[in-house]
Amino acid sequence: MLVYTLKRLFIAFLVALTVSLITFSLTYVAGDPATAIAGEAATEADIEYIRELYGFDRPILIQYAEWFLNAMQGDFGQSFYFKLPVADILFERLPISMTLGVCAITFAISLSIPLGVLAAMRPNSFLDRLALGISVVGQAMPSFWFALMLIVIFAVWYPILPTTGSESWEHFILPTIVLGYYATPAIMRLTRTGMLEVLGSDYIRTARAKGLPQHVVLFKHALRNAVIPVVSLAAVQFGFMLGGSIVIESIFALHGAGYLAWESIGRNDLPVVQAVVLIFSLFYIVLTFLSDLLNAWLDPRIRVG
Amino acid sequence: MTTTIANRGLPAAEDIVGPTPGQQLRRRIFGHRGLMIGGGILLVMFLMALTAPLIAPHDPYMQSLLSRVKPPVWVTGNWDHVLGTDQLGRDYLSRLMYGAQISLLIGFAAAFISGVIGTAMGVAAGYFGGRVDMVVTFLITVRLSMPVVLVALAVVALIGGSLTVVISVLGLLLWDRYAVVMRSATLQIRQMDYVAAAKAVGCSTPRILLTEIMPNIVNNLIVVATLEMAHAILLEAALSFLGMGVQPPTPSWGLMVSEGKDYILFESWMIMIPGVALFLLVLAINLVGDGIRDVTAPEARN
């Protein structure tokens, strides 16, 4: 287990390093950053001044090393727009994105696992078809459009929920539904396949033959084993949700990190964008690392193989 | 006359031999409800996109300040503008038809670019294994760690939104699933006897890859391609909706939803119509993808 953990940790570190390199290279993706910051009316001298001020005149590798080492210490540089440390702005916004992410994944899990179990209990029944329908519709519906439709229903036709802002828990209801629904199909399908597989196995037949009641067989014997891959999928989905929150947050004007990233992209405020990309990626890397460990701990075959 | 002779109390030829593989395949295709529905919708969208210049009732760019935000015919509108007009008085139906071109073009092109990248990586990783596999797996992990919407938004915004930029950025971002699926498919095929046989008779590696491996994984490739096409269309719509994708006045469906957003209080049809179009297109592509998977590999169904 220790060897496996160290190996995983090393890979996770390499991935983080590569991601940071790509994130850093965003600075240069559109050409000279100094010209972009200076604006259109800038003279040659202004651009030269900005280049020196921000250190763009130094070798790129040194710029990267400095940026990376600072970022590792929680210093993401100065925002071009706010003229404040990026870290301060970001850490003020991050809890809202996290709250939204946790709410959404909880919603998704509490919707998809029962549906997946029910669908697997009676394949091809009405419930199975309903579950399939939900997942087919969920995969085809653009999330921003679903969000707008919910606004139309719950704020225009039946004005019962707020649509913009992040002041109270009610502001989180609609974003949670949209973001959570987005992750539902994948989790539900995996639960259903896992349950179908487990329910066909010998030890379930043994449990039934012993005369155990249905709910014990289902929840104590079957679900426990079927849910293992679901845990790692949920971790992955949580990471995707943080990334997807940018669309949802900007529609509902939830002042989270995704909204901040969207505003900053529009304002050409690159340090903030880079910080958000890096933080979201790191978060995903940590999550997958933990779920790998969890899987290896639960299933010894993974450790050895 | 010949038919009476052939049928005189004797079983017909196909009753003895059974349907040919071609007939079986056709029966599976036409008997698959999802595939038929999805294929039907997709065909209509295709024809709509191809013949938009011929059948569109109006010029999609033509503004008319006198007839702005006219509702569609079933609300209180008239038959001149069946789906109404937008905030600049442009005919909604015509914009919708031209929008199908944008969505389909982006879906195909992005799925193609990422397909070439992902397939090359996945097949190489699966076939050669070892170091190559390690590098490819690592690259897939890196790619999966980056939030795709955010990165696509940032890059498109930095370079400047246009059709080509959106296609290239999506094409360069969406190869991960191809690589994952192609890698595991190749791993399976590599162990087959006919690959070993091809090696034994001295076939070159490119030849083995092209004539032994590829034909056997092309079904998986098509299924992933439909998934990624749907993914690319949704992403383009999201980017355009957020204002960092295809730029106005191009009639992109995502852009139309975004422009209709200001009228959400009283004219909710303005966001419903392009949204439903997007939904139908993506649904159709997904149904076709699932259908192809079922028809080509019925045993893979869960």
Side-chain angles (χ1 to χ4, degrees), chain A residues 26-176:
Chain A
L26 280 180
T27 316
Y28 287 93
V29 82
D32 185 8
T35 327
I37 298 166
E40 277 170 19
T43 61
E44 199 57 40
D46 293 342
I47 296 174
E48 202 52 48
Y49 171 69
I50 285 176
R51 198 167 283 152
E52 267 172 45
L53 183 71
Y54 287 100
F56 292 135
D57 51 346
R58 295 168 306 160
I60 285 190
L61 261 180
I62 292 184
Q63 290 182 46
Y64 166 69
E66 189 194 67
W67 178 79
F68 179 72
L69 290 175
N70 283 339
M72 284 298 103
Q73 293 161 26
D75 173 11
F76 295 98
Q78 290 268 324
S79 155
F80 296 159
Y81 178 82
F82 293 105
K83 314 284 181 211
L84 284 168
V86 174
D88 293 0
I89 309 166
L90 186 59
F91 288 117
E92 189 185 308
R93 303 286 196 99
L94 219 45
I96 291 179
S97 293
M98 292 296 159
T99 315
L100 177 62
V102 171
C103 289
I105 197 78
T106 316
F107 174 76
I109 289 176
S110 52
L111 183 71
S112 53
I113 290 191
L115 264 179
V117 172
L118 286 173
M121 271 166 65
R122 300 210 194 314
N124 287 321
S125 65
F126 169 72
L127 257 173
D128 190 18
R129 279 168 199 280
L130 180 76
L132 185 71
I134 290 181
S135 92
V136 168
V137 169
Q139 277 168 336
M141 204 155 47
S143 57
F144 62 89
W145 183 68
F146 184 39
L148 289 176
M149 284 296 105
L150 286 185
I151 292 181
V152 170
I153 296 171
F154 292 108
V156 180
W157 293 348
Y158 306 101
I160 44 176
L161 286 173
T163 56
T164 51
S166 45
E167 289 83 34
S168 72
W169 62 272
E170 285 162 332
H171 287 93
F172 282 89
I173 296 178
L174 292 182
T176 298

Side-chain angles (χ1 to χ4, degrees), chain A residues 18 30 136 145 246 250 262 265 281, chain B residues 138 145 150 157-158 242 271 283:
Chain A
T18 318
V136 168
W145 183 68
I246 182 167
S250 53
W262 180 61
I265 288 172
S281 306
Chain B
F138 179 74
S145 320
L150 192 49
L158 283 169
L242 290 174
I271 49 178
L283 182 75

Side-chain angles (χ1 to χ4, degrees), chain B residues 86-156:
Chain B
D86 69 1
Q87 75 287 357
L88 295 174
R90 295 171 296 193
D91 183 56
Y92 230 48
L93 178 63
S94 309
R95 287 183 71 72
L96 205 67
M97 287 175 167
Y98 278 87
Q101 291 181 339
I102 308 284
S103 282
L104 283 170
L105 178 66
I106 285 181
F108 268 113
F112 179 77
I113 298 174
S114 52
V116 171
I117 301 173
T119 308
M121 286 172 72
V123 169
Y127 187 74
F128 297 110
R131 292 235 174 92
V132 184
D133 189 21
M134 263 168 59
V135 172
V136 170
T137 314
F138 179 74
L139 288 177
I140 295 173
T141 319
V142 170
R143 161 53 203 84
L144 283 174
S145 320
M146 316 265 313
V148 63
V149 186
L150 192 49
V151 173
L153 265 179
V155 175
V156 172

Side-chain angles (χ1 to χ4, degrees), chain B:
Chain B
M1 284 300 278
T2 45
T3 48
T4 51
I5 295 169
N7 281 339
R8 193 172 297 151
L10 294 170
E14 57 239 58
D15 293 336
I16 303 169
V17 207
T20 63
Q23 284 171 330
Q24 282 177 351
L25 184 65
R26 245 165 282 150
R27 214 166 282 173
R28 280 212 298 267
I29 291 176
F30 289 107
H32 194 286
R33 209 190 311 157
L35 188 57
M36 283 295 104
I37 297 174
I41 301 176
L42 204 54
L43 192 69
V44 171
M45 294 272 183
F46 249 120
L47 290 177
M48 197 165 91
L50 280 178
T51 59
L54 300 174
I55 58 170
H58 296 269
D59 178 350
Y61 298 103
M62 183 106 115
Q63 306 182 2
S64 162
L65 295 182
L66 289 174
S67 54
R68 286 183 302 171
V69 201
K70 282 270 192 312
V73 69
W74 64 86
V75 183
T76 49
N78 59 42
W79 282 100
D80 187 32
H81 297 287
V82 179
L83 295 183
T85 59
D86 69 1
Q87 75 287 357
L88 295 174
R90 295 171 296 193
D91 183 56
Y92 230 48
L93 178 63
S94 309
R95 287 183 71 72
L96 205 67
M97 287 175 167
Y98 278 87
Q101 291 181 339
I102 308 284
S103 282
L104 283 170
L105 178 66
I106 285 181
F108 268 113
F112 179 77
I113 298 174
S114 52
V116 171
I117 301 173
T119 308
M121 286 172 72
V123 169
Y127 187 74
F128 297 110
R131 292 235 174 92
V132 184
D133 189 21
M134 263 168 59
V135 172
V136 170
T137 314
F138 179 74
L139 288 177
I140 295 173
T141 319
V142 170
R143 161 53 203 84
L144 283 174
S145 320
M146 316 265 313
V148 63
V149 186
L150 192 49
V151 173
L153 265 179
V155 175
V156 172
L158 283 169
I159 305 177
S162 76
L163 203 59
T164 341
V165 172
V166 173
I167 290 174
S168 335
V169 170
L170 292 182
L172 291 175
L173 278 174
L174 299 181
W175 47 264
D176 51 298
R177 198 172 350 204
Y178 285 102
V180 172
V181 174
M182 290 296 103
R183 176 178 168 274
S184 58
T186 311
L187 273 176
Q188 276 176 10
I189 302 296
R190 186 180 68 166
Q191 293 162 350
M192 294 290 168
D193 285 341
Y194 53 77
V195 176
K199 266 187 212 158
V201 289
C203 290
S204 65
T205 308
R207 181 166 171 170
I208 295 178
L209 289 179
L210 283 178
T211 62
E212 309 293 332
I213 305 275
M214 276 312 278
N216 288 298
I217 58 174
V218 78
N219 287 340
N220 303 34
L221 181 61
I222 295 172
V223 173
V224 181
T226 58
L227 282 175
E228 286 310 325
M229 192 177 154
H231 194 180
I233 290 174
L234 283 179
L235 271 178
E236 180 274 325
L239 293 185
S240 302
F241 172 76
L242 290 174
M244 316 275 176
V246 178
Q247 295 300 310
T250 318
S252 149
W253 289 347
L255 207 53
M256 285 168 78
V257 175
S258 162
E259 288 164 348
K261 193 177 59 188
D262 303 336
Y263 299 86
I264 190 167
L265 288 180
F266 303 109
E267 313 285 349
S268 48
W269 55 267
M270 279 184 83
I271 49 178
M272 271 183 210
I273 292 170
V276 167
L278 263 173
F279 170 72
L280 282 179
L281 177 60
V282 175
L283 182 75
I285 296 172
N286 282 341
L287 284 177
V288 167
D290 286 354
I292 293 175
R293 189 197 56 209
D294 291 348
V295 167
T296 52
E299 68 279 0
R301 247 179 309 189
N302 51 25

